[in-house]
Amino acid sequence: MNIVLIDDEPLAMDLLERRLKELYEEACVHKFIHFDYNKNSHILYETDVIFLDIEMPGTNGLELAEKILDTNSEVAIVFVTAYQAYAVQAFELNALDYLLKPVEKDRLKKTLDRITSKRYDRSAASYPNNHDKKLSISVCGELSFQYSNEEKEVISWRTAKAQELFLYLLHYCGKSIHKAELIELLWPDYEPEKAYTQLYTAIYHIRRALRHYRKHINIKNVQSGYTLQIEEAQIDIKSWESKLESAPKLELSTIELYEEIMEEYTGSYLEVNDYIWAEQERFRLSQLWAKTANQIAACYEKKHDLEKAIEWYVKICERHPEEEQAAFQLMKIYAEVDYGVLVHYQYKRLKKALADLGLEVNNQITSWYENWEIGNMPKV
């Protein structure tokens, strides 16, 4: 086992080394009072575990841990501190693991046993060799990950903030997002030091949660910020939009292709996550879906395939009950095929949906409905 110790207290570091040697005589231990990242980062590629002091003069242990994980995402990091409350309350390090100074032998053994267990196992059994497959990341509806012909995985995130941070970075995939922007978004009321600690901890949790997909999803430190990069992976909503943009003109001969593409839109963008920052994109994409669905319905209606036209107008009204164009066309088709009950139902549904938004039904639609209603009154 290759071990690195980083601590500005030589005596504490020597004691930890002795404890490690007592438990793992064959362990190869490297000690650093100050870790010069530029000079020593090559050591990290062969390191199994790092014991890192949280508080060192001029160095933030969590920020250093973050840089280390950029180099070797598989290394196990154990924080060492003299203050229990500082570790537990301020940093919530229970998921990362931490040791209190002076390090007790029994407690150290538990930590090392955890590191050598399946949780940190680098074997192929723990990390399936899926990196040659293409990964699909679904953001329509609920966030999930899936390899071809395999079950979807819905990750259980350590915290809601970690999930939102990941989704925000994914939202701006390939772009560098400054740390200050992330803190303003997620921890605006925290003191700066604690806010940065929360950020570093959340990044750690994301990397651990996504470790099975590390060949496809990579979060990098870039100029005081982060950038999320994907490789051999696709985001479902982006793939869907790209297919629509590259599809030939919509007409009867291509309508089946459009229907196949529209099936891939399985829910609104980040539908189960009520993030203010996602609202504009969610609205834009939902309007693109509605516009395309209206075009498909109109194409069927033009060819007098009323059954298919009704099917698509109903889909639109189910997703967007306030959509006047679709509702009006549906009412007119129902009137044409003598489905009077459904004309009434659709008008009342539209009226309620708009009233919920503080709006009224378009005068043209109301006038048409009232005239139709008069024309269908029972003869006395």
Side-chain angles (χ1 to χ4, degrees):
M1 182 181 288
N2 294 320
I3 300 172
V4 167
L5 311 182
I6 305 174
D7 196 326
D8 65 314
E9 299 181 39
L11 292 178
M13 190 159 49
D14 290 343
L15 174 61
L16 179 54
E17 182 183 22
R18 286 199 300 273
R19 295 275 191 261
L20 287 166
K21 289 288 188 178
E22 289 170 6
L23 293 169
Y24 288 89
E25 189 176 338
E26 75 284 1
C28 177
V29 180
H30 301 273
K31 296 188 295 182
F32 298 91
I33 293 176
H34 170 72
F35 189 81
D36 187 328
Y37 195 84
N38 293 328
K39 185 185 295 184
N40 300 308
S41 60
H42 64 281
I43 295 173
L44 302 176
Y45 292 103
E46 302 300 327
T47 299
D48 297 296
V49 57
I50 295 174
F51 291 86
L52 175 61
D53 190 8
I54 291 177
E55 287 190 296
M56 294 178 286
T59 302
N60 183 312
L62 285 171
E63 188 169 6
L64 178 57
E66 175 192 35
K67 292 182 68 176
I68 289 169
L69 288 168
D70 266 345
T71 302
N72 180 359
S73 62
E74 294 306 310
V75 67
I77 295 180
V78 178
F79 290 100
V80 183
T81 179
Y83 308 102
Q84 183 171 10
Y86 184 72
V88 178
Q89 296 174 12
F91 292 97
E92 301 177 347
L93 297 179
N94 53 310
L96 310 180
D97 208 0
Y98 64 93
L99 295 172
L100 296 176
K101 296 179 182 180
V103 177
E104 297 293 334
K105 186 176 178 180
D106 289 345
R107 179 66 178 86
L108 178 61
K109 185 177 186 307
K110 288 181 181 179
T111 296
L112 291 172
D113 287 345
R114 180 186 297 181
I115 290 168
T116 54
S117 71
K118 290 182 180 179
R119 183 179 176 187
Y120 293 105
D121 187 11
R122 295 184 184 181
S123 67
S126 289
Y127 299 104
N129 187 23
N130 281 325
H131 60 270
D132 290 331
K133 298 181 180 179
K134 193 160 188 176
L135 177 68
S136 178
I137 305 169
S138 176
V139 292
C140 283
E142 186 175 27
L143 174 67
S144 65
F145 303 83
Q146 184 179 29
Y147 286 111
S148 302
N149 303 319
E150 294 186 14
E151 291 292 321
K152 284 186 177 181
E153 181 186 8
V154 177
I155 287 178
S156 178
W157 295 91
R158 175 68 178 81
T159 66
K161 294 292 187 183
Q163 180 180 13
E164 184 173 1
L165 175 57
F166 167 72
L167 288 171
Y168 191 78
L169 293 173
L170 185 67
H171 183 79
Y172 292 104
C173 183
K175 297 180 181 179
S176 177
I177 309 299
H178 202 281
K179 292 177 183 177
E181 178 181 338
L182 298 173
I183 286 172
E184 180 61 28
L185 175 73
L186 297 169
W187 300 281
D189 300 324
Y190 281 54
E191 293 295 324
E193 184 178 351
K194 187 173 182 181
Y196 277 98
T197 295
Q198 295 293 329
L199 176 60
Y200 302 144
T201 304
I203 289 290
Y204 179 91
H205 286 314
I206 292 171
R207 286 179 169 135
R208 296 307 301 171
L210 299 176
R211 61 190 181 278
H212 293 163
Y213 307 112
R214 65 190 185 279
K215 298 293 183 181
H216 303 281
I217 304 172
N218 188 19
I219 298 175
K220 286 187 171 293
N221 241 322
V222 181
Q223 297 178 347
S224 300
Y226 297 102
T227 180
L228 185 147
Q229 299 172 336
I230 62 174
E231 183 176 345
E232 290 300 312
Q234 66 177 20
I235 302 171
D236 61 350
I237 196 69
K238 290 188 176 181
S239 174
W240 173 77
E241 186 174 12
S242 177
K243 287 179 182 179
L244 272 185
E245 289 175 350
S246 60
K249 182 181 178 181
L250 175 58
E251 50 192 27
L252 206 59
S253 61
T254 62
I255 202 165
E256 288 186 6
L257 171 62
Y258 273 83
E259 289 182 306
E260 289 174 7
I261 295 172
M262 292 290 278
E263 284 180 6
E264 296 182 20
Y265 186 93
T266 56
S268 298
Y269 177 58
L270 299 180
E271 186 173 12
V272 300
N273 304 108
D274 189 22
Y275 302 142
I276 293 176
W277 52 263
E279 285 183 0
Q280 184 176 347
E281 183 68 355
R282 183 185 298 125
F283 177 78
R284 184 186 71 82
L285 291 166
S286 68
Q287 289 302 298
L288 176 59
W289 181 89
K291 176 184 175 182
T292 307
N294 266 306
Q295 290 172 343
I296 293 172
C299 186
Y300 277 123
E301 187 178 2
K302 185 178 180 180
K303 297 298 181 181
H304 214 68
D305 188 342
L306 298 185
E307 184 177 341
K308 291 291 289 184
I310 288 172
E311 178 186 327
W312 275 97
Y313 284 131
V314 167
K315 285 181 181 180
I316 298 165
C317 292
E318 285 176 349
R319 283 189 182 273
H320 302 278
E322 77 290 347
E323 176 64 42
E324 289 187 296
Q325 179 186 348
F328 190 27
Q329 292 303 121
L330 195 52
M331 288 162 59
K332 289 191 287 187
I333 294 174
Y334 285 151
E336 183 178 345
V337 295
D338 293 325
Y339 288 169
V341 172
L342 292 178
V343 176
H344 288 296
Y345 168 78
Q346 192 58 53
Y347 179 77
K348 290 176 181 178
R349 185 182 186 188
L350 175 63
K351 186 176 181 179
K352 182 181 183 305
L354 290 172
D356 290 343
L357 297 173
L359 303 171
E360 294 183 353
V361 179
N362 181 287
N363 288 336
Q364 180 188 3
I365 298 174
T366 299
S367 178
W368 178 92
Y369 174 74
E370 290 174 349
N371 289 333
W372 172 85
E373 200 172 24
I374 292 170
N376 284 273
M377 290 179 64
K379 304 292 186 200
V380 178

